[in-house]
Amino acid sequence: CILQCFLSLTVFGRAIHAIARISDEFWFDPVEKGLALRSVNSSRSAYACVFFSSMFFQHYCWTAVSQPCQKEQQLSLPCKLIIKSVLPVFRCVNVLERNVEKCSISTNPNDHHITFQLLCRHGVVKTYNLSFQECDPLQAVFAKHMCPNILKVHSRLLADVMVHFPTSQEEITLSVTPMKVCFKSYTEEDTDFSRTMLTEIQLSPEEFDYFQVGVDSEVTFCLKELRGLLAFSEATSVPVSIHFDTCGRPIAFSIEDLLLEASFILATLCEAEKKAASPEPACCPQPWDR
Amino acid sequence: IVNTIAKLAKTCILRLTVCKLYFILSDKVANGGASMWCELSQGNFFDEYQMEGVAAEHNEIYLELVPENLSRALKTAQSAKAVKIKLTNKHCPCLRVAVELPSLSSSSRIVTHDIPVGVIPRRMWNDFREPSMPDFDVSIYLPVLKTMKSVVERMKNLSNFVVIEANLSGEMNLKIETDLVSVTTHFKDLGNPPWASEDGCQSSAQSRDLESMAEACIDIKKLQQLLAGQQVNPTKALCNIVRKRIVHFILLHEEVSLQYFIPAIA
């Protein structure tokens, strides 16, 4: 059995919501050092991982499950949950902090159940029992430190930029040179310009806390998937780091502090690949560890 | 103003002349027969205004656009240092709205929105002439728009049509009738504009009984859209009713005038 209680419900709830934008299911992976939540979308073009260190929780107790055969290494048991079942637990994140005094999560591997229990005001206790599936671990491998372009900025700036795009905007293009940074609506070759409104935002490098552009590049990624991370990082007020390369190579948005680490890795469109009409819509972060 | 227009029409015509801008909606079937004429002086809004029409004798430009797009682009400009609007032709003609926003660093942020527009050729300009004031039966000042709006909004839940009737004694009624219920809201002491005293306009009005009501049944949604778009109380608001034919609303603000025609349902 594994038991945890939260320090910050808002942050945890926002993380769940952010991951929900990627896919309907997520991996719940408690390890000795903390809890990892991971998700990947069906087309393998977006991957999210949020890791809460044990210090994030008021009380974190993790016991390795003993294997029947002692020669085998003790592995943590990641399990897969359907997000839709978990979201109601953390709905109305803002209201949650006020009403809920304590939240605890416990797992019972024998039972294949995870229990979320919220102890609310006035003695109300809400218990959610969710079943999970055992599955193979999921981990994307992405060499962030090898990226020539790194930008670091407070999430407020990114949110201020994204507000100019309509909520229906699917993809946007980030274009950088050492002199300027530009976010613009993505247009394909066959876009009907007479019907589409295009938006472009230009920023100067000075607005970024850290600005390194090794190679001029223009990368296009899915904005919808990113919005979840932006809401999450605003809750934590940790700055967002953006690591990327040229088009076709993945782009990683990450936040990191003492208590948690989160990475959202999105595939970027590559014009050359599109013309070749490859089956996948975009390149994947590679390789996938299975 | 653009927000108001955006609530009234999905697409409309923007006519630019040297002194004025006009937002026009013509009474085609697609608009449900309603038409609109909104006029404003460029001097009240723009620090700099330069335009060149099709030809010297016809120094005007007619553009077709989606006001919702313009409204969205202008939302960006709420805390702007400067806004520039240009008509350009990239992939297709568009209005480029360039907004300079303040930022934490020394150089500003620049947000550009390209709104696609259609240029209307000169031969079609006649479709968009200013509608003339109809020969109305009654002309009356409107009640406080906020009150009228909340009445109409609640009526909208009950019926698709509303009968608007008024007389020359400053009384107006809004009536709806369904199988289950009928609701009438009465407004009194509204006052009538002094058209009747002007020459030739309504010679028959003087002989008309001041108490008799002129009524027209109109689509309630159109009325609600018009009222919903008004965020500020106009300097003058009145309507002219042509019995069973059309209701003509005139809303005047300091800088802009808006006329909206809603045809009566038979």
Side-chain angles (χ1 to χ4, degrees), chain B residues 137-186:
Chain B
D137 296 309
V138 168
S139 178
I140 187 169
Y141 288 118
L142 293 175
V144 172
L145 290 189
K146 218 163 109 184
T147 315
M148 201 172 164
K149 182 172 95 155
S150 48
V151 168
V152 173
E153 258 169 23
R154 266 174 267 135
M155 284 181 165
K156 189 169 83 113
N157 294 330
L158 297 169
S159 167
N160 288 332
F161 306 107
V162 63
V163 172
I164 178 168
E165 65 175 19
N167 63 21
L168 289 166
S169 309
E171 291 174 344
M172 175 192 279
N173 299 328
L174 296 174
K175 300 198 293 203
I176 56 166
E177 199 168 310
T178 69
D179 291 337
L180 297 171
V181 67
S182 62
V183 182
T184 309
T185 306
H186 304 270

Side-chain angles (χ1 to χ4, degrees), chain A residues 157 160-161 164-166 193-204 206-207, chain B residues 69 72-73 76 91-92 101 103-107 109-116:
Chain A
L157 179 99
D160 283 345
V161 165
H164 300 299
F165 292 96
F193 288 103
S194 63
R195 288 192 189 290
T196 335
M197 182 163 150
L198 301 177
T199 304
E200 184 176 312
I201 295 149
Q202 279 186 25
L203 304 161
S204 99
E206 290 165 9
E207 299 217 51
Chain B
N69 285 343
R72 196 153 53 75
T76 298
H91 306 270
C92 74
L101 290 171
S103 78
L104 297 165
S105 72
S106 53
S107 43
R109 282 181 214 171
I110 304 182
V111 183
T112 318
H113 294 283
D114 283 338
I115 305 169

Side-chain angles (χ1 to χ4, degrees), chain B residues 26-243:
Chain B
S26 65
D27 55 356
K28 303 211 179 79
V29 178
N31 304 324
S35 60
M36 168 192 68
W37 181 270
C38 178
E39 198 173 303
L40 42 112
S41 292
Q42 58 92 348
N44 290 333
F45 295 91
F46 299 99
D47 289 333
E48 251 183 66
Y49 185 88
Q50 261 181 344
M51 67 145 280
E52 243 180 65
V54 158
E57 322 86 63
H58 302 280
N59 198 8
E60 302 185 351
I61 303 176
Y62 282 69
L63 301 171
E64 183 176 9
L65 55 75
V66 175
E68 170 70 37
N69 285 343
L70 186 55
S71 172
R72 196 153 53 75
L74 293 174
K75 228 192 238 171
T76 298
Q78 269 172 353
S79 47
K81 277 158 75 169
V83 180
K84 247 197 242 182
I85 306 184
K86 254 192 190 161
L87 182 57
T88 72
N89 194 339
K90 241 178 35 170
H91 306 270
C92 74
C94 50
L95 273 183
R96 170 164 289 183
V97 181
V99 182
E100 201 182 320
L101 290 171
S103 78
L104 297 165
S105 72
S106 53
S107 43
S108 327
R109 282 181 214 171
I110 304 182
V111 183
T112 318
H113 294 283
D114 283 338
I115 305 169
V117 296
V119 181
I120 310 280
R122 188 148 61 88
R123 58 174 195 268
M124 293 182 59
W125 287 6
N126 274 332
D127 287 352
F128 308 109
R129 276 173 303 182
E130 176 164 7
S132 47
M133 179 104 78
D135 272 342
F136 49 80
D137 296 309
V138 168
S139 178
I140 187 169
Y141 288 118
L142 293 175
V144 172
L145 290 189
K146 218 163 109 184
T147 315
M148 201 172 164
K149 182 172 95 155
S150 48
V151 168
V152 173
E153 258 169 23
R154 266 174 267 135
M155 284 181 165
K156 189 169 83 113
N157 294 330
L158 297 169
S159 167
N160 288 332
F161 306 107
V162 63
V163 172
I164 178 168
E165 65 175 19
N167 63 21
L168 289 166
S169 309
E171 291 174 344
M172 175 192 279
N173 299 328
L174 296 174
K175 300 198 293 203
I176 56 166
E177 199 168 310
T178 69
D179 291 337
L180 297 171
V181 67
S182 62
V183 182
T184 309
T185 306
H186 304 270
F187 297 95
K188 286 197 311 190
D189 298 325
L190 294 173
N192 300 87
W195 300 122
S197 54
E198 285 171 18
D199 51 357
C201 199
Q202 275 301 102
S203 47
S204 55
Q206 284 169 333
S207 52
R208 202 174 293 285
D209 175 13
L210 289 180
E211 300 281 322
S212 88
M213 292 275 182
E215 63 167 51
C217 179
I218 59 175
D219 180 347
I220 204 174
K221 197 143 170 268
K222 298 249 172 301
L223 179 57
Q224 189 258 335
Q225 279 171 342
L226 174 66
L227 296 170
Q230 298 302 307
Q231 280 140 345
V232 180
N233 259 333
T235 327
K236 264 206 172 93
L238 57 99
C239 78
N240 300 327
I241 306 179
V242 179
R243 188 169 271 133

